[in-house]
Amino acid sequence: MNDPFPPSVWERRFERVVEIVPYLTLATSLIISLASPEQPPGGIPRTLALTALALAWILGARTLLPAAVRGRRMAVTAHFLGVLATAALLAFHDPIFVIYCISGFFLAAHFAPSKWTFAAVAATSFVLYGSTLDWSQATPQLIAFHLAIIAVQTVAIGGGSIAGIKIEDRQRKYQKAVSDLQTALEENAGLHAQLLTQAHEAGILDERRRMAREIHDTLAQGLTGIITQLRAAQRVEDSDAHVALALDLARDSLTEARRSVAALRPHQLDDAHLPEAMTTLARGWARSTGVDLHVEVTGDRVPLSPAIEVALFRVAQEALTNVAKHAGATRAGLTLSYTGPVVLLDIRDDGTGILDPDGGGFGLSSMRQRLRGVGGSLEIESTPGEGTAVSATVPALQGNPR
């Protein structure tokens, strides 16, 4: 398993230094000790023997061990205690070997970060100062002084070692966080490009749907009205009125076709707000169908955003077209209600009703899509033989007054 926080270059170098420090300090102490002209009788053989013991311990308890065993806490503890014990023997034999005792401070890093780091530093300090102190002439004040030095040294070296590891660990986490952030940014860049492509494709699809709705709501409805008027003209002798209405519908359909291509508002909304446009629509519809249509506007009128006005107008247009084509109604009603946070549009008729109000016909689907596009909703209630009620609800988002 890969380590999520691998050692840094500094840590790897420090670990190599810790491995060779016991050899360097032991060799330095031995050279200085052998070079000293004041040697007690039999001192050199004892020095060499104790040095050989210390060297054998370093090799056997650390260097020659397999890497998997070397890193275990038991092996680390045994190695440290052995080094400290041989250092004490050598230092009591020859004080110059306090140099070798210093390696205990480096080996204490193997216990970091934990309380055993402080214990290792304190033990090394006791051996270091205890081997140099003349206990036969030691006074309580001198012992207290050495103890104070040991305490300060333990806190300083142990705390510094732990702080260094903590700082290094924090830096590794920071570097990993930066790396993860960079990876996330690269992934987000890829997702952003993908989303742009999808948005472009969705925009093309939405535009196709919009054009389909516009054609359905304008050309199809206009042509339906023309056909109705021309058929009526065929059944009567005086056909001038029906032909005139057909011509008017044809002109309106042509105008709407041009506006749909240019994605403009219905011409009824060009110079009027929604209530006036609804009244104009209702008057023309009633005149062309012969159905009695009652129009009512309630509440405080406010200028709505163009998108909402267009959506409500097109829904009313589609609903009235459905009444004319399918309902067989004699009466109908259109109510536009301004209720503060929302605007309601209700269209009712006394026709034959709809068998499947939740069906997916193009007209109903077109109305639902238009309303969803402006944050609105559509509800249809119908009972066969008792008429239909179409209710549209949109947020009353206001536009700039004209």
Side-chain angles (χ1 to χ4, degrees):
M1 183 176 180
N2 295 330
D3 186 356
F5 302 116
S8 64
V9 175
W10 181 88
E11 284 182 305
R12 290 194 295 269
R13 289 176 179 175
F14 182 75
E15 288 176 359
R16 287 196 292 269
V17 169
V18 171
E19 294 298 324
I20 65 174
V21 159
Y23 294 102
L24 292 177
T25 54
L26 182 60
T28 302
S29 301
L30 178 61
I31 292 172
I32 296 175
S33 177
L34 295 178
S36 175
E38 299 179 0
Q39 291 286 347
I44 292 179
R46 285 195 299 272
T47 299
L48 293 175
L50 291 174
T51 301
L53 177 62
L55 181 61
W57 181 261
I58 298 172
L59 288 170
R62 183 71 183 178
T63 305
L64 300 180
L65 287 178
V69 179
R70 191 187 310 164
R72 295 176 182 174
R73 177 55 61 90
M74 185 66 69
V76 170
T77 304
H79 173 243
F80 173 78
L81 293 177
V83 169
L84 203 59
T86 54
L89 292 174
L90 285 166
F92 279 109
H93 167 67
D94 188 346
I96 197 62
F97 278 92
V98 293
I99 298 175
Y100 178 48
C101 289
I102 295 174
S103 60
F105 294 125
F106 289 86
L107 296 179
H110 287 309
F111 298 97
S114 71
K115 60 184 180 181
W116 299 109
T117 304
F118 292 99
V121 172
T124 303
S125 299
F126 273 112
V127 172
L128 180 66
Y129 290 103
S131 61
T132 58
L133 182 63
D134 186 357
W135 291 94
S136 62
Q137 299 181 4
T139 62
Q141 292 82 1
L142 184 61
I143 294 176
F145 175 72
H146 279 74
L147 290 175
I149 293 177
I150 291 173
V152 173
Q153 189 168 272
T154 298
V155 173
I157 297 178
S161 177
I162 293 176
I165 291 175
K166 292 290 187 181
I167 292 173
E168 187 70 20
D169 183 62
R170 183 179 300 174
Q171 289 177 343
R172 285 201 306 268
K173 291 180 179 178
Y174 172 76
Q175 291 171 356
K176 185 177 184 299
V178 171
S179 177
D180 292 344
L181 178 60
Q182 183 65 31
T183 302
L185 289 175
E186 293 174 358
E187 292 177 354
N188 286 341
L191 290 175
H192 180 66
Q194 183 179 355
L195 288 175
L196 286 178
T197 302
Q198 293 176 350
H200 178 68
E201 295 174 353
I204 294 175
L205 182 60
D206 288 343
E207 184 62 18
R208 290 174 179 172
R209 290 174 177 170
R210 184 192 69 80
M211 291 300 298
R213 288 196 303 267
E214 294 293 340
I215 292 173
H216 177 270
D217 292 345
T218 56
L219 295 181
Q221 294 170 5
L223 292 173
T224 299
I226 292 171
I227 292 171
T228 301
Q229 295 303 322
L230 292 178
R231 285 177 176 174
Q234 291 176 340
R235 293 194 296 267
V236 298
E237 294 181 359
D238 185 9
S239 60
D240 291 343
H242 293 291
V243 172
L245 285 174
L247 288 175
D248 290 340
L249 288 172
R251 293 190 189 97
D252 289 342
S253 297
L254 179 60
T255 301
E256 285 298 332
R258 291 170 177 169
R259 293 176 184 276
S260 297
V261 172
L264 296 177
R265 294 157 57 87
H267 68 86
Q268 292 92 337
L269 291 170
D270 282 343
D271 300 314
H273 283 301
L274 186 61
E276 292 78 12
M278 287 289 192
T279 302
T280 302
L281 172 67
R283 186 183 303 118
W285 182 85
R287 185 163 56 94
S288 64
T289 61
V291 178
D292 181 21
L293 177 62
H294 175 71
V295 179
E296 183 179 5
V297 179
T298 64
D300 295 331
R301 304 181 183 186
V302 294
L304 302 174
S305 70
I308 290 179
E309 287 193 342
V310 170
L312 287 175
F313 184 85
R314 291 303 190 197
V315 167
Q317 195 175 41
E318 172 63 23
L320 291 175
T321 299
N322 288 340
V323 172
K325 289 171 61 177
H326 307 297
T330 59
R331 290 183 304 169
L334 186 154
T335 304
L336 183 65
S337 304
Y338 292 84
T339 63
V342 297
V343 177
L344 306 176
L345 172 65
D346 296 296
I347 299 174
R348 304 167 305 282
D349 67 76
D350 62 354
T352 58
I354 302 175
L355 294 177
D356 185 12
D358 297 324
F362 190 88
L364 298 180
S365 176
S366 174
M367 287 191 285
R368 290 191 175 96
Q369 289 177 4
R370 281 189 180 278
L371 293 172
R372 280 200 298 267
V374 294
S377 62
L378 181 72
E379 293 183 4
I380 300 176
E381 296 181 1
S382 181
T383 302
E386 297 183 8
T388 302
V390 176
S391 300
T393 305
V394 296
L397 301 178
Q398 298 189 22
N400 295 326
R402 290 192 290 269

